[in-house]
Amino acid sequence: MASLVSSPFTLPSSKLDQLSSLTQKHLFLHSFLPKKGIHHNSTKSSLRVKCAAIGNGLFTQTTQEVRRIIPENDQNLPTVKIVYVVLEAQYQSSLTAAVQALNSKRKNASYELVGYLVEELRDVTNYKSFCKDLEDANVFIGSLIFVEELALKVKAAVEKERDRLDAVLVFPSMPEVMRLNKLGSFSMSQLGQSKSPFFQLFKRKKPNSAGFADSMLKLVRTLPKVLKYLPSDKAQDARLYILSLQFWLGGSPDNLQNFLKMISGSYVPALKGTKIEYAEPVLYLDSGIWHPLAPCMYDDVKEYLNWYGTRRDANEKLKSPDAPVIGLILQRSHIVTGDDGHYVAVIMELEARGAKVVPLFAGGLDFSGPVEKFLIDPITKKPFVNSVVSLTGFALVGGPARQDHPRAIEALMKLDVPYIVAVPLVFQTTEEWLNSTLGLHPIQVALQVALPELDGGMEPIVFAGRDPKTGKSHALHKRVEQLCIRAIRWAELKRKSKAEKKLAITVFSFPPDKGNVGTAAYLNVFSSIYSVLTDLKRDGYNVDGLPESSEALIEEVIHDKEAQFSSPNLNIAYKMNVREYQRLTPYSTALEENWGKPPGNLNADGENLLVYGKQYGNVFIGVQPTFGYEGDPMRLLFSKSASPHHGFAAYYSFVEKIFKADAVLHFGTHGSLEFMPGKQVGMSDVCYPDSLIGNIPNVYYYAANNPSEATIAKRRSYANTISYLTPPAENAGLYKGLKQLSELISSYQSLKDTGRGPQIVSSIISTAKQCNLDKDVALPDEGEELPAKERDNVVGKVYSKIMEIESRLLPCGLHVIGEPPSALEAVATLVNIAALDRPEQNISALPSILAETVGREIEDVYRGSDKGILKDVELLRQITEASRGAITAFVERTTNKKGQVVVSDKLSSILGFGINEPWIQYLSNTKFYRADREKLRTMFEFLGECLMLVVADNELGSLKQALEGNFVEPGPGGDPIRNPKVLPTGKNIHALDPQSIPTTAALQSAKVVVDRLVERQKADNGGKYPETVALVLWGTDNIKTYGESLAQVLWMIGVKPVADTFGRVNRVEPVSLEELGRPRIDVVVNCSGVFRDLFINQMNLLDRAVKMVAELDEPLEQNYVRKHALEQAEALGIEVREAATRIFSNASGSYSSNINLAVENSSWNDEKQLQDMYLSRKSFAFDCDAPGAGMAEKRKVFEMALSTAEATFQNLDSSEISLTDVSHYFDSDPTNLVQNLRKDGKKPSAYIADTTTANAQVRTLAETVRLDARTKLLNPKWYEGMLSSGYEGVREIEKRLTNTVGWSATSGQVDNWVYEEANTTFIEDEQMLNKLMNTNPNSFRKLVQTFLEANGRGYWETSEQNIERLKQLYSEVEDKIEGIDR
């Protein structure tokens, strides 16, 4: 079978296991790496994905033919034909054996059998063959059909034949399929409506129960006995259905043989009157403990352990009381069908490594009961095991159907040990998985990776493959070894003493420069490390020689003490010679293709590889090397990312094999390990993240508001991610000229009707111009005579603008782990939490409660204020002030003198006082004194809960839990303002069920934003609709907003998502043009690499949606998608469906367009080079017709689609991250690129939607950049807050300026005054200049260099003397860093 990338070799699957990992490396890596030494044009062709090469382009190439048995009917017996469809293949070998045994007896009937895996029905030919097989079938069997699009296919095919079929048996599946059941007079077509006890079963029980499967099992046990004595046929048919279910769940070839005899004897007309004898089902335990060498299954853990102690085959190590004990969770169906080879391998590997095992199984879909029953000592309540590995791949409660995560978490918290969920391949064969750049199948990622993460599961290691012919599972030995060693290493953490545990703390330096060591989003890294280490030291860990302060710690890690004091080098912790490196790093030869022979020139001194960092007792603080190619413009152009360099590999070899860490702690968001090339999810042993992390348990501090990248770290570096809080937010406030403006406006309001009105307006206009507000508001000339109404208008617009600046939320300073915000610091966050309506909790937003008091709707006030209507701007300011005041009053009453929250007693007393409620007291002195008491009380009760969560502190506690081998409670990541459940931090952070988005609420918000975007574009473009919008989808945004930006794309093209009975979204349907009320707008969607990894199902959905719209028969002026697809199909000579490709991202395993790296490292020549990076890295398309082919390069279509764009668009979704805070936003901005691709050379409009507050806005990119500069870079409140963090603060200021240059480079939307003001603020102010230079000279040098670069590249025009001053400063700071005193 040809591999995914047109490859020079094929391998029979049996040989795969025998190849050593190294030679496999060479064979498989060709699909990840750019070839070296080949001219660029040929590189492209060798990386082009050929869909033809992989059969049907789907995930699995297996077909029903391997499951077809045609009997040799030489005795003319009646033939019974059975067709079955199952989710997993474990029934295949058992059913095949049963039918072969029946046919060999040649008695009564001969049996024809054919089976399909649900996944195979995606393929058109397979589906046709399925329908054809049903035409002459007698019996249809289906089981576990839970994927909606495929369930509907099964339903359609079986429905046609249902009346003719002799029997239809469907075991637990989606209700649509369950309704197909029929056995004689027994039918389930009324499923969910009927009153009989049997049907009540299928109605959803209490929302929290995964009880469906369990009650089904109980029923299965008792019903046949009861039904036996009921006379009617109906009861007998129902009894046989239940017996069938017992046979099926019993799964062994004998049970299935009797099952087929019973069904054919009772229901196949040709056998009527033939008495076919069958035995009753052999029942196995529903749940228990199973060991391949044990004489029986155990229902009692004590009995099992007694047997274990008397085993003759076990070595002494295993019998020792000190041996680690690992719990395993198995699926009963694999054991009863005899498909258990992969389980046996894991058990044997663990025992060979000296670990005892307790393998439990359950037949239902709820494992929480068995986990509590078999793994926890009922008397001491302590676990029998040190870590648990689930080999089912499913969520602990509910399997593939409905999950109950709270119940699962409760059981795992009681158990309190690390919980690993390993994955057996279900939908792919081993070879298909090995050849896939995506790795695991998207549906499997959703069911078996994303859902277990919500329970707190970690380490999705693929440990078992599937044989294409027999369907049996087999162990992947290299992966089983990795899984078992890691499970034992986690168990060891539970057993080692604190004093002997070794911890490697890893910090990041990005971009590589000494001023950047310890970079992490929103985190003061060194102060946090210091706080963690002091705490660990108190707790009994060995942290010898820890310096007196965090500043001293920085000095020791950053400066090489041997050399002179301010040396350019970091402290070297270890020199590794090349031979040692090669011995410790078996995959080092694979890196030579990209980096040549070791040591290379990164993290090396010519002879040795250098590990930077410093050791304190048993704690090593090390600096993770960077990608290594950020400074090489040619490397940045490659469409696939390069492998890690030798220095990078040496760092992790040192941590694991020389320092011998028991755990590694990656400190802050985020490093590069998890973004190295390899499969997206479900890595093999040749994927770099897997090789690098090796066998070390990985704990990772991650910002709570970044669940998407945290999820990548979980899946690709096997991290236990622990969330930390972002710094408390404050309002940006006003300063300098802006403050003056606000004073002038308030005097205008009190004096506007006197003679002084016009004079004040004139001052307002001139001050606004000095503040550069004339770019945002149309201002008349200063001396112009204005009528009173016009004056109000001008003032209203300026007022509205400065209120927008004043109320913008800023994270102030940087967070320190273990220092939660004080209650008063939490006020701004609470004000914003209070500003959102929460209808599902029956909570009205505070601003809308206040607006109602004066007879207004808050939405109208927002609209009026946006338009600049003076009285509305003023009312909105009063509402905002009243909200802040009421909440401050509330918080002050709930805290003690030290500012700590003493909520419990105080809250009840506050909520008890009618008239004395602090918020009522506050509001009684404002115009809102008549506000609705009940609504206010509900709101403040909710705020009281939120306040407790904001100030709770568990970040250190959870880290210690993880290091002690305990279970860290999982929790969602996201924006605490939208979803307070993100708090308290210190949880094992997870994303969401990818099939649950977009939600209905997200769709509502999306409509509002799209309508505003279209209105804005029409207003700016002479009333014309935009034909195409180019936009970006981010992983984190879609998690925080439950799919708002995803829904925006769907609404632009005019389709709506349709959810199935489980609330999962896997389907879309078009909205009629009448309902849409405008043309369908074409889109070009650039998905971030992280979005691609997390939401591949949604990419599939989007691609299906766009192609569906392109094929609608509608007038072209009403359907721009079709209009453009037809033009492009003709120009490129391809089908319309292919021309309608609009969903793009990076190649699998690569991230970002690299423009950010080029800008941060100044390694680019001109803008065209940046645009080439974008095109070469972002032109990989997802194709819903061949989802298994991964991302295929479609550069021509990409360029043509972009060339029709009239607007570019991105979303900002939370106050913590804005356009210049991170480099991701400009990295994926195509504004200038589109201008170059358009035939008319016209620059597209660029818009940013801002949904960070209740009042959603669509602004131009230029307006947003100005707002950002005013509230952050140029705002004393922000930069003073940053500088209070010292060394790291200087870097944050430099980063904002560099990102501003990034926007100039990709969009040209930065005004000259932004650079000019920044120069005035940071360079012309002597005091400020010295502070920056002394606090972090390396970052200050970069700041000066960035100013010079902005000028050199033509983004900033300024006076000659400014440039001279900067050049002189640059050489001064160079000398200071080199330690030369002139």
Side-chain angles (χ1 to χ4, degrees):
M1 126 152 199
S3 108
L4 225 180
V5 175
S6 51
S7 60
F9 73 103
T10 53
L11 270 181
S13 57
S14 59
K15 292 262 175 57
L16 274 180
D17 294 336
Q18 300 155 17
L19 278 168
S20 80
S21 67
L22 261 182
T23 52
Q24 269 190 50
K25 269 240 152 76
H26 278 309
L27 293 171
F28 286 110
L29 280 175
H30 68 82
S31 61
F32 303 142
L33 301 180
K35 301 277 177 282
K36 57 165 188 191
I38 305 178
H39 299 298
H40 285 290
N41 52 9
S42 62
T43 313
K44 289 224 171 71
S45 64
S46 72
L47 287 173
R48 190 63 51 76
V49 173
K50 291 199 178 72
C51 289
I54 78 155
N56 54 14
L58 297 177
F59 286 90
T60 183
Q61 315 314 313
T62 55
T63 69
Q64 64 284 351
E65 296 315 313
V66 298
R67 289 174 228 101
R68 192 182 291 281
I69 296 179
I70 308 261
E72 309 166 5
N73 194 353
D74 43 14
Q75 301 184 0
N76 289 333
L77 296 169
T79 300
V80 177
K81 179 173 178 187
I82 299 150
V83 179
Y84 67 93
V85 173
V86 287
L87 174 76
E88 301 182 81
Q90 67 259 46
Y91 274 88
Q92 176 183 333
S93 52
S94 215
L95 268 169
T96 306
V99 167
Q100 282 166 341
L102 286 171
N103 284 342
S104 65
K105 293 181 189 144
R106 303 191 175 183
K107 202 174 160 191
N108 302 328
S110 60
Y111 292 83
E112 182 181 335
L113 175 75
V114 61
Y116 293 77
L117 300 182
V118 183
E119 189 54 34
E120 292 164 355
L121 299 179
R122 273 182 210 277
D123 183 68
V124 187
T125 3
N126 290 353
Y127 184 64
K128 279 193 185 132
S129 140
F130 172 60
C131 296
K132 202 163 168 33
D133 270 326
L134 284 171
E135 285 170 14
D136 59 348
N138 300 83
V139 181
F140 170 75
I141 302 169
S143 171
L144 292 185
I145 301 170
F146 284 111
V147 181
E148 186 194 27
E149 38 185 327
L150 301 174
L152 295 176
K153 283 184 138 182
V154 172
K155 176 180 172 228
V158 177
E159 234 163 19
K160 278 215 286 288
E161 300 292 329
R162 182 172 182 260
D163 295 340
R164 189 198 57 72
L165 284 159
D166 301 329
V168 177
L169 290 141
V170 182
F171 304 122
S173 292
M174 294 187 74
E176 294 86 324
V177 196
M178 292 293 286
R179 292 192 188 109
L180 297 168
N181 267 306
K182 78 155 197 184
L183 269 193
S185 58
F186 170 82
S187 138
M188 284 197 187
S189 52
Q190 263 70 54
L191 178 61
Q193 294 126 28
S194 163
K195 290 273 176 284
S196 81
F198 192 80
F199 292 114
Q200 291 305 318
L201 237 191
F202 291 95
K203 286 208 173 145
R204 193 66 205 301
K205 287 243 186 19
K206 306 188 292 294
N208 65 355
S209 71
F212 171 67
D214 279 353
S215 34
M216 182 111 174
L217 284 171
K218 287 202 185 82
L219 201 74
V220 169
R221 285 262 185 257
T222 53
L223 258 186
K225 303 187 182 92
V226 181
L227 293 172
K228 205 165 189 169
Y229 304 106
L230 294 180
S232 75
D233 291 347
K234 223 173 183 160
Q236 286 320 302
D237 290 330
R239 174 171 173 265
L240 292 189
Y241 176 76
I242 297 281
L243 277 177
S244 305
L245 186 55
Q246 283 193 353
F247 278 129
W248 185 257
L249 293 173
S252 62
D254 284 352
N255 271 334
L256 295 178
Q257 211 170 313
N258 285 313
F259 161 55
L260 296 177
K261 283 191 204 165
M262 173 182 91
I263 294 296
S264 50
S266 315
Y267 297 104
V268 174
L271 298 172
K272 268 278 185 304
T274 323
K275 185 129 177 61
I276 300 185
E277 294 290 329
Y278 62 89
E280 290 283 310
V282 177
L283 298 179
Y284 298 101
L285 288 177
D286 279 343
S287 66
I289 299 178
W290 168 85
H291 189 290
L293 300 176
C296 62
M297 291 179 172
Y298 294 95
D299 194 24
D300 179 344
V301 68
K302 292 280 174 20
E303 284 177 30
Y304 169 75
L305 292 173
N306 287 343
W307 166 77
Y308 210 90
T310 58
R311 279 173 60 183
R312 296 242 177 95
D313 64 306
N315 57 29
E316 283 316 299
K317 210 163 148 196
L318 257 195
K319 292 189 176 168
S320 123
D322 293 342
V325 187
I326 313 285
L328 297 176
I329 298 174
L330 316 176
Q331 244 178 310
R332 177 173 173 273
S333 58
H334 275 283
I335 298 170
V336 297
T337 56
D339 181 7
D340 54 17
H342 54 318
Y343 291 171
V344 175
V346 173
I347 292 171
M348 295 303 150
E349 179 71 31
L350 284 168
E351 293 189 340
R353 294 187 174 274
K356 294 180 182 165
V357 285
V358 182
L360 65 92
F361 64 86
L365 298 172
D366 180 352
F367 287 92
S368 60
V371 159
E372 290 183 25
K373 177 175 170 189
F374 298 120
L375 301 182
I376 299 176
D377 187 320
I379 298 150
T380 64
K381 298 283 180 272
K382 286 208 158 56
F384 286 118
V385 291
N386 309 117
S387 67
V388 168
V389 183
S390 167
L391 299 179
T392 66
F394 285 120
L396 193 71
V397 182
R402 288 198 194 249
Q403 294 72 39
D404 180 351
H405 300 294
R407 168 121 181 66
I409 292 168
E410 185 193 345
L412 292 165
M413 297 276 287
K414 281 186 197 158
L415 185 61
D416 203 20
V417 298
Y419 173 56
I420 292 174
V421 182
V423 185
L425 293 178
V426 174
F427 300 116
Q428 298 144 290
T429 63
T430 306
E431 195 172 357
E432 285 159 354
W433 163 72
L434 279 173
N435 285 331
S436 161
T437 52
L438 293 175
L440 276 182
H441 182 299
I443 299 267
Q444 190 168 0
V445 173
L447 288 179
Q448 301 204 320
V449 180
L451 294 175
E453 284 171 351
L454 305 185
D455 294 343
M458 328 181 272
E459 313 215 355
I461 296 173
V462 175
F463 75 100
R466 206 184 83 213
D467 182 284
K469 291 209 171 42
T470 63
K472 278 199 159 185
S473 300
H474 52 227
L476 301 165
H477 294 292
K478 277 264 187 278
R479 307 276 68 211
V480 165
E481 190 178 326
Q482 168 90 324
L483 172 66
C484 294
I485 298 176
R486 292 190 65 85
I488 293 171
R489 295 290 301 269
W490 275 109
E492 291 292 329
L493 289 177
K494 195 104 182 143
R495 302 166 56 247
K496 270 194 168 172
S497 74
K498 291 176 186 168
E500 56 179 341
K501 269 182 210 165
K502 290 186 148 189
L503 175 64
I505 295 181
T506 299
V507 298
F508 313 118
S509 165
F510 215 79
D513 172 320
K514 214 164 89 179
N516 288 328
V517 172
T519 21
Y522 321 107
L523 194 60
N524 187 331
V525 175
F526 281 106
S527 301
S528 296
I529 291 180
Y530 192 73
S531 140
V532 165
L533 291 183
T534 4
D535 200 71
L536 290 179
K537 192 171 178 175
R538 262 203 308 274
D539 221 30
Y541 287 81
N542 169 0
V543 192
D544 248 12
L546 183 65
E548 288 304 296
S549 69
S550 60
E551 289 74 27
L553 183 69
I554 297 182
E555 277 307 326
E556 294 193 3
V557 174
I558 287 192
H559 292 304
D560 183 351
K561 279 283 185 283
E562 310 298 296
Q564 59 205 62
F565 179 60
S566 19
S567 75
N569 285 331
L570 297 169
N571 189 56
I572 296 170
Y574 189 78
K575 295 186 173 182
M576 186 184 290
N577 67 43
V578 172
R579 286 183 59 183
E580 181 177 30
Y581 162 70
Q582 287 169 327
R583 184 176 54 91
L584 298 176
T585 319
Y587 55 96
S588 65
T589 46
L591 313 182
E592 294 177 11
E593 183 172 9
N594 276 287
W595 301 100
K597 291 263 180 236
N601 53 8
L602 294 162
N603 290 62
D605 60 7
E607 290 173 33
N608 303 302
L609 287 146
L610 307 178
V611 177
Y612 294 119
K614 183 101 177 105
Q615 190 168 337
Y616 298 101
N618 278 340
V619 177
F620 166 67
I621 301 176
V623 181
Q624 185 189 63
T626 55
F627 281 113
Y629 49 74
E630 43 289 281
D632 175 350
M634 284 320 289
R635 280 268 169 93
L636 292 173
L637 269 169
F638 278 151
S639 61
K640 305 216 172 163
S641 304
S643 67
H645 56 83
H646 296 296
F648 202 100
Y651 176 82
Y652 283 95
S653 294
F654 166 80
V655 168
E656 182 178 1
K657 294 170 181 163
I658 294 173
F659 175 67
K660 295 195 163 51
D662 289 296
V664 59
L665 168 60
H666 285 99
F667 218 96
T669 307
H670 58 79
S672 355
L673 166 71
E674 61 270 34
F675 295 102
M676 288 295 173
K679 297 185 188 307
Q680 280 176 210
V681 186
M683 293 180 295
S684 67
D685 46 335
V686 298
C687 297
Y688 289 114
D690 184 276
S691 309
L692 289 161
I693 197 66
N695 299 320
I696 325 168
N698 180 9
V699 185
Y700 208 139
Y701 266 135
Y702 232 89
N705 67 349
N706 193 342
S708 62
E709 289 177 318
T711 302
I712 303 284
K714 281 174 107 72
R715 294 177 188 175
R716 301 187 85 236
S717 68
Y718 309 139
N720 188 346
T721 44
I722 295 178
S723 61
Y724 61 82
L725 204 56
T726 46
E730 290 180 41
N731 298 99
L734 299 172
Y735 54 93
K736 300 182 186 161
L738 296 169
K739 198 166 184 176
Q740 224 174 321
L741 262 178
S742 116
E743 287 156 9
L744 282 168
I745 290 171
S746 55
S747 43
Y748 172 77
Q749 284 180 298
S750 50
L751 302 172
K752 64 177 182 180
D753 300 329
T754 66
R756 291 197 49 204
Q759 187 192 341
I760 299 176
V761 170
S762 185
S763 309
I764 287 177
I765 293 170
S766 70
T767 313
K769 284 185 175 160
Q770 283 163 11
C771 295
N772 299 294
L773 285 176
D774 50 339
K775 306 274 193 308
D776 301 278
V777 181
L779 296 173
D781 293 333
E782 279 162 54
E784 206 178 309
E785 280 289 305
L786 298 171
K789 190 152 188 266
E790 272 297 288
R791 290 201 297 262
D792 274 9
N793 265 346
V794 170
V795 175
K797 288 203 163 97
V798 173
Y799 196 7
S800 164
K801 198 72 212 167
I802 64 174
M803 288 323 297
E804 174 179 78
I805 294 168
E806 191 279 338
S807 60
R808 193 101 176 136
L809 272 196
L810 300 179
C812 274
L814 296 167
H815 177 63
V816 175
I817 299 249
E819 289 182 16
S822 68
L824 288 173
E825 286 175 324
V827 168
T829 306
L830 290 177
V831 171
N832 277 286
I833 289 179
L836 296 178
D837 269 318
R838 299 176 196 270
E840 66 289 351
Q841 289 162 286
N842 251 336
I843 297 174
S844 307
L846 189 52
S848 65
I849 301 176
L850 299 179
E852 279 165 19
T853 328
V854 291
R856 295 287 303 273
E857 285 279 319
I858 190 72
E859 278 302 312
D860 296 343
V861 181
Y862 286 149
R863 286 308 124 265
S865 171
D866 292 346
K867 289 194 185 107
I869 297 167
L870 187 55
K871 65 177 198 340
D872 284 352
V873 185
E874 178 58 24
L875 176 60
L876 185 56
R877 186 191 64 79
Q878 291 167 344
I879 290 177
T880 311
E881 256 177 34
S883 303
R884 289 179 194 168
I887 289 173
T888 310
F890 163 66
V891 169
E892 281 170 350
R893 279 283 294 275
T894 52
T895 50
N896 61 17
K897 292 190 180 60
K898 288 189 192 148
Q900 295 153 327
V901 181
V902 229
V903 181
S904 49
D905 351 326
K906 287 237 177 158
L907 251 191
S908 49
S909 66
I910 291 174
L911 296 171
F913 283 125
I915 198 139
N916 281 343
E917 292 173 335
W919 52 91
I920 299 286
Q921 287 174 342
Y922 177 86
L923 291 173
S924 63
N925 302 324
T926 65
K927 66 190 313 184
F928 307 109
Y929 61 93
R930 309 225 311 275
D932 183 319
R933 294 266 174 119
E934 267 315 293
K935 284 186 177 170
L936 284 173
R937 177 171 289 144
T938 317
M939 171 47 99
F940 278 92
E941 279 174 0
F942 175 67
L943 288 179
E945 289 163 25
C946 295
L947 179 60
M948 302 268 291
L949 295 175
V950 175
V951 298
D953 171 31
N954 200 23
E955 295 168 355
L956 276 173
S958 297
L959 171 67
K960 291 196 287 199
Q961 291 263 296
L963 294 179
E964 280 155 38
N966 294 342
F967 180 71
V968 177
E969 182 183 354
D975 177 4
I977 289 172
R978 283 175 194 260
N979 179 9
K981 285 198 183 70
V982 168
L983 304 168
T985 44
K987 291 185 179 148
N988 178 354
I989 189 172
H990 59 67
L992 39 75
D993 172 0
Q995 302 182 73
S996 65
I997 66 171
T999 57
T1000 329
L1003 196 61
Q1004 284 317 110
S1005 316
K1007 285 181 180 173
V1008 174
V1009 170
V1010 171
D1011 295 345
R1012 287 192 191 163
L1013 172 71
V1014 172
E1015 281 315 302
R1016 180 87 208 236
Q1017 170 72 1
K1018 277 173 69 179
D1020 297 352
N1021 256 0
K1024 290 214 319 270
Y1025 282 102
E1027 290 202 5
T1028 307
V1029 175
L1031 43 82
V1032 183
L1033 290 182
W1034 297 104
T1036 285
D1037 295 21
N1038 279 291
I1039 295 172
K1040 288 182 188 167
T1041 63
Y1042 297 96
E1044 270 177 35
S1045 39
L1046 185 68
Q1048 289 165 358
V1049 180
L1050 295 174
W1051 191 242
M1052 284 179 194
I1053 61 174
V1055 300
K1056 57 175 183 231
V1058 184
D1060 69 11
T1061 34
F1062 294 126
R1064 296 187 296 211
V1065 181
N1066 285 314
R1067 230 162 27 104
V1068 285
E1069 52 190 40
V1071 174
S1072 68
L1073 285 167
E1074 294 76 55
E1075 185 186 336
L1076 198 58
R1078 59 165 166 79
R1080 300 184 194 279
I1081 295 169
D1082 197 1
V1083 290
V1084 187
V1085 184
N1086 159 16
C1087 303
S1088 72
V1090 173
F1091 182 92
R1092 171 205 63 206
D1093 285 5
L1094 299 191
F1095 295 114
I1096 195 111
N1097 295 333
Q1098 268 51 29
M1099 287 179 75
N1100 192 1
L1101 197 69
L1102 286 173
D1103 193 51
R1104 291 212 316 256
V1106 177
K1107 287 175 177 164
M1108 177 171 78
V1109 168
E1111 289 173 334
L1112 291 174
D1113 188 7
E1114 292 176 339
L1116 300 186
E1117 68 282 357
Q1118 287 297 306
N1119 184 336
Y1120 298 141
V1121 183
R1122 182 165 175 78
K1123 175 183 165 185
H1124 297 153
L1126 288 168
E1127 291 165 5
Q1128 289 151 8
E1130 193 171 332
L1132 296 170
I1134 52 180
E1135 294 292 311
V1136 171
R1137 222 175 142 72
E1138 191 184 339
T1141 299
R1142 296 288 184 270
I1143 313 302
F1144 296 92
S1145 182
N1146 298 70
S1148 300
S1150 297
Y1151 302 83
S1152 114
S1153 72
N1154 284 352
I1155 291 174
N1156 54 355
L1157 295 178
V1159 167
E1160 287 165 349
N1161 294 280
S1162 310
S1163 49
W1164 54 291
N1165 306 327
D1166 54 15
E1167 290 180 11
K1168 181 165 184 332
Q1169 195 180 21
L1170 297 180
Q1171 293 165 15
D1172 281 346
M1173 284 178 200
Y1174 191 96
L1175 288 171
S1176 95
R1177 288 185 62 86
K1178 283 287 180 187
S1179 57
F1180 288 78
F1182 185 83
D1183 180 2
C1184 65
D1185 299 327
M1191 309 298 298
E1193 193 168 7
K1194 296 253 174 85
R1195 182 153 169 176
K1196 275 297 344 134
V1197 183
F1198 186 46
E1199 291 185 13
M1200 286 190 79
L1202 278 176
S1203 71
T1204 63
E1206 287 167 1
T1208 63
F1209 176 61
Q1210 295 203 47
N1211 282 288
L1212 288 178
D1213 63 285
S1214 79
S1215 55
E1216 293 138 345
I1217 309 182
S1218 191
L1219 291 187
T1220 55
D1221 292 329
V1222 290
S1223 57
H1224 302 61
Y1225 287 116
F1226 72 77
D1227 179 72
S1228 39
D1229 167 57
T1231 310
N1232 283 351
L1233 166 63
V1234 169
Q1235 179 177 9
N1236 276 352
L1237 291 171
R1238 284 183 65 95
K1239 292 196 180 73
D1240 58 7
K1242 182 167 161 277
K1243 185 166 229 166
S1245 319
Y1247 298 107
I1248 302 285
D1250 175 347
T1251 54
T1252 56
T1253 60
N1255 181 12
Q1257 301 281 351
V1258 173
R1259 304 190 182 91
T1260 64
L1261 176 57
E1263 285 165 355
T1264 314
V1265 170
R1266 288 195 288 271
L1267 178 61
D1268 227 35
R1270 288 184 175 121
T1271 50
K1272 298 248 170 88
L1273 187 63
L1274 307 175
N1275 182 356
K1277 192 169 187 178
W1278 181 82
Y1279 59 72
E1280 294 298 343
M1282 279 303 166
L1283 287 174
S1284 66
S1285 300
Y1287 164 85
E1288 271 130 341
V1290 182
R1291 176 177 67 225
E1292 292 292 326
I1293 293 170
E1294 173 269 308
K1295 193 167 96 182
R1296 298 303 181 292
L1297 186 70
T1298 302
N1299 291 343
T1300 307
V1301 172
W1303 281 110
S1304 289
T1306 62
S1307 71
Q1309 303 282 319
V1310 184
D1311 301 326
N1312 202 60
W1313 67 265
V1314 173
Y1315 293 113
E1316 197 61 44
E1317 293 275 311
N1319 182 60
T1320 311
T1321 307
F1322 300 111
I1323 306 294
E1324 287 180 9
D1325 175 338
E1326 278 298 316
Q1327 211 179 344
M1328 172 61 82
L1329 179 109
N1330 292 327
K1331 192 171 183 181
L1332 296 171
M1333 179 145 35
N1334 296 329
T1335 315
N1336 186 339
N1338 290 278
S1339 288
F1340 178 68
R1341 169 173 61 183
K1342 177 82 167 78
L1343 184 79
V1344 174
Q1345 179 193 325
T1346 307
F1347 275 120
L1348 288 168
E1349 188 181 343
N1351 171 262
R1353 293 191 189 276
Y1355 302 144
W1356 173 38
E1357 283 176 33
T1358 188
S1359 64
E1360 265 310 298
Q1361 72 238 46
N1362 274 348
I1363 296 302
E1364 278 315 304
R1365 173 82 180 106
L1366 285 163
K1367 286 180 176 162
Q1368 176 199 340
L1369 271 175
Y1370 189 77
S1371 56
E1372 273 176 37
V1373 71
E1374 279 278 57
D1375 293 349
K1376 188 176 163 66
I1377 290 172
E1378 298 299 332
I1380 303 165
D1381 287 325
R1382 293 231 154 112

